[in-house]
Amino acid sequence: MFEKLSQILIPIAGRLNNNRYLSVLRDAFMLSFPLTVFGSIIVVIINLPFLNDWMGADNLARLQELLNIAPNATLNIMTVFVVVGIGYYLSRSYKVEPIFGGMIALACFLMLTPFILTQDGGTTIADVIPKERLGAKGMFLGMIVAFIAGEIYRKVTQRNIVIKMPPGVPPAVAKSFAALLPACITLGIFLVINVIVNVTFHNNLHDLIYKAIQAPLVHLGSGIIPTLIAIFLIQILWFFGLHGQIIVNSVMDPIWNTLSLENYEAYSQGAEMPHIITKQFVDIYTVGIGGTGMTLTVVLTILFFLKSKQLKQVSKLAVGPGLFNVNEPVIFGLPIVMNPLIIVPWVLAPMVVTLITYFAMYTGIVPPPNGIQVPWTMPLFFSGMMGTGSLRGGLLQLFNMAVVFVIWFPFLKFIDRMNVRKEQEEEISASAKEQTVGM
């Protein structure tokens, strides 16, 4: 059964993993990661619960006013970084000058962005870019534009429609002139698109894309059923030795990150978070408990409750990395890959924990994720508190560990008995050989 299933899944997963556009999208989001983490750290600092009592309301308001520039320059304009990243990495994958690909993609995105802010009551302010256009609301348009602009730029370049400078011209100057015609053609196409949309629909492409594509996809991705399907696929792919996060998250991350940005915008304004399912929901409450499959619980169970020398050796090697959510030692050392004895808890535990976490947040027992970027290596409990802004977020992670223990323990105990019996037989065999040699 496993062989037939692997014959179906492995080719599909391989094609997804090697897909140029999904790889570029993954790398583009990682480009923004250090910037958004910095902004998230500042948000955590200025929202610490004891600051109001320690500093006073007026001083705290002044501090927040001074430091709010950090999240505004990072988290709130994340779409800008993603657009540049897509243009850069897509161009690099085609071996054309990548920095121009990133800048051209950004210029094309801004060309479709209305430089006008409409306030409550209908008052408009010209020559400004609404922050929401550079954040969650512009995410999908930004990705679409960046991919199309990158493709146009590289096709024009590869067809040699460029201005070539004579030998001896400095390389930076030669590259700028070489990018001139591709840039003009690409930007000209998007300028025409913007004119057509404005004249035909009396609207901007931001609002059209948001209503037609982004809003429905975000609504779908925020549901518990699609999330459970994604978790199931991640676990199954890992079981066959394929990196489930890279493959599945390449598809889901644009949706989950958009949900995170919308939650962060609500959190920064003191409003109620609109979504439970976000990028942080998935990362903190599945990967954030020892890595994929929450294997820190598995490692600790082996270390304290089982007897097999082989399993204990694996757990000793895996416990250190597991505290920081690196679990390759246990995935390939237990092993989990292609081990039919543990496929049930490996798949079941993350799905059960996802349901429990969703229920806890849906009922208000634990606040939903606030959209703050938490480094994936942040140890559990602390990541739960940072991701929700509440002690209850960390306590929920500890409760989830107990659930994982209950699901995994019978299977681990069975494997332990098998290993102990095998180790005892090997010891008896080795002892018999020594006695034979001694005679």
Side-chain angles (χ1 to χ4, degrees):
M1 180 186 69
F2 291 118
E3 184 178 349
K4 290 181 179 179
L5 191 58
S6 66
Q7 289 175 354
I8 297 172
L9 287 176
I10 290 177
I12 296 174
R15 283 194 291 269
L16 286 174
N17 192 38
N18 296 323
N19 183 271
R20 183 192 303 271
Y21 300 110
L22 294 180
S23 298
V24 165
L25 189 60
R26 179 183 67 239
D27 293 340
F29 274 107
M30 290 309 299
L31 176 70
S32 68
F33 180 72
L35 306 174
T36 54
V37 166
F38 173 76
S40 297
I41 292 172
I42 300 301
V43 171
V44 171
I45 291 173
I46 63 180
N47 286 280
L48 290 172
F50 58 81
L51 284 182
N52 191 36
D53 297 329
W54 182 49
M55 299 181 62
D58 292 340
N59 290 331
L60 177 58
R62 178 58 177 160
L63 177 67
Q64 291 175 336
E65 180 183 353
L66 291 171
L67 297 186
N68 261 335
I69 188 64
N72 282 338
T74 53
L75 280 168
N76 291 340
I77 59 170
M78 183 177 173
T79 295
V80 172
F81 310 133
V82 173
V83 168
V84 173
I86 291 173
Y88 180 92
Y89 287 113
L90 184 62
S91 299
R92 194 175 74 171
S93 72
Y94 286 115
K95 302 188 185 314
V96 297
E97 191 62 37
I99 190 62
F100 290 106
M103 292 301 100
I104 290 170
L106 177 60
C108 290
F109 170 69
L110 293 176
M111 196 165 291
L112 300 176
T113 302
F115 280 57
I116 186 169
L117 174 64
T118 303
Q119 297 179 315
D120 294 337
T123 305
T124 60
I125 302 175
D127 298 326
V128 297
I129 303 177
K131 190 168 58 177
E132 63 179 9
R133 305 288 189 186
L134 307 180
K137 198 169 183 180
M139 180 64 73
F140 273 75
L141 176 63
M143 291 188 295
I144 294 169
V145 169
F147 277 116
I148 296 175
E151 285 290 343
I152 296 172
Y153 162 69
R154 71 93 180 174
K155 286 182 178 180
V156 175
T157 302
Q158 289 177 341
R159 290 179 181 178
N160 212 25
I161 307 175
V162 298
I163 298 175
K164 295 182 179 180
M165 301 299 290
V169 175
V173 176
K175 289 178 181 179
S176 296
F177 274 92
L180 180 58
L181 289 180
C184 290
I185 292 171
T186 307
L187 292 169
I189 290 172
F190 279 92
L191 178 60
V192 172
I193 291 173
N194 187 57
V195 170
I196 292 173
V197 169
N198 275 271
V199 171
T200 305
F201 300 99
H202 304 287
N203 203 342
N204 61 80
L205 202 55
H206 271 262
D207 291 337
L208 293 178
I209 292 292
Y210 183 81
K211 293 175 183 177
I213 298 177
Q214 181 167 336
L217 282 177
V218 166
H219 179 72
L220 177 65
S222 65
I224 185 61
I225 300 301
T227 304
L228 288 173
I229 294 172
I231 297 294
F232 172 80
L233 291 174
I234 288 171
Q235 299 304 116
I236 286 293
L237 290 169
W238 263 117
F239 178 79
F240 289 105
L242 301 167
H243 201 302
Q245 263 77 31
I246 290 179
I247 296 169
V248 175
N249 288 13
S250 295
V251 178
M252 296 301 297
D253 270 356
I255 297 173
W256 287 337
N257 277 306
T258 302
L259 295 167
S260 295
L261 283 174
E262 292 182 358
N263 269 24
Y264 168 74
E265 290 172 359
Y267 176 73
S268 61
Q269 296 169 9
E272 182 179 353
M273 263 76 78
H275 308 294
I276 294 175
I277 305 295
T278 65
K279 177 65 173 172
Q280 287 73 38
F281 176 94
V282 177
D283 284 353
I284 292 173
Y285 291 98
T286 56
V287 180
I289 309 181
T292 303
M294 300 162 291
T295 51
L296 182 59
T297 305
V298 176
V299 171
L300 295 176
T301 302
I302 294 172
L303 199 59
F304 292 109
F305 295 99
L306 303 188
K307 299 177 181 179
S308 167
K309 294 178 182 178
Q310 175 191 341
L311 294 180
K312 281 189 175 293
Q313 186 63 32
V314 171
S315 67
K316 289 176 183 178
L317 294 172
V319 68
L323 291 172
F324 299 95
N325 304 319
V326 177
N327 65 343
E328 276 76 5
V330 68
I331 286 179
F332 297 103
L334 189 59
I336 289 171
V337 172
M338 297 300 289
N339 187 348
L341 295 176
I342 55 178
I343 187 173
V344 172
W346 172 249
V347 174
L348 182 63
M351 299 183 71
V352 171
V353 164
T354 300
L355 281 171
I356 291 172
T357 304
Y358 185 86
F359 175 79
M361 294 179 178
Y362 182 80
T363 55
I365 299 173
V366 176
N370 50 27
I372 290 175
Q373 291 277 358
V374 180
W376 66 271
T377 53
M378 179 67 65
L380 69 94
F381 189 73
F382 300 103
S383 61
M385 287 195 299
M386 287 182 62
T388 60
S390 170
L391 178 65
R392 289 172 287 169
L395 294 175
L396 178 59
Q397 286 183 306
L398 297 179
F399 179 81
N400 287 343
M401 285 188 72
V403 173
V404 175
F405 171 80
V406 171
I407 295 173
W408 269 87
F409 187 76
F411 297 90
L412 290 174
K413 192 66 177 176
F414 176 75
I415 295 172
D416 184 56
R417 288 172 181 169
M418 290 178 57
N419 282 14
V420 168
R421 189 181 304 118
K422 182 179 179 180
E423 289 167 3
Q424 289 174 346
E425 291 173 355
E426 289 176 352
E427 289 177 0
I428 293 172
S429 176
S431 177
K433 288 181 180 180
E434 289 178 1
Q435 290 178 1
T436 304
V437 172
M439 293 175 61

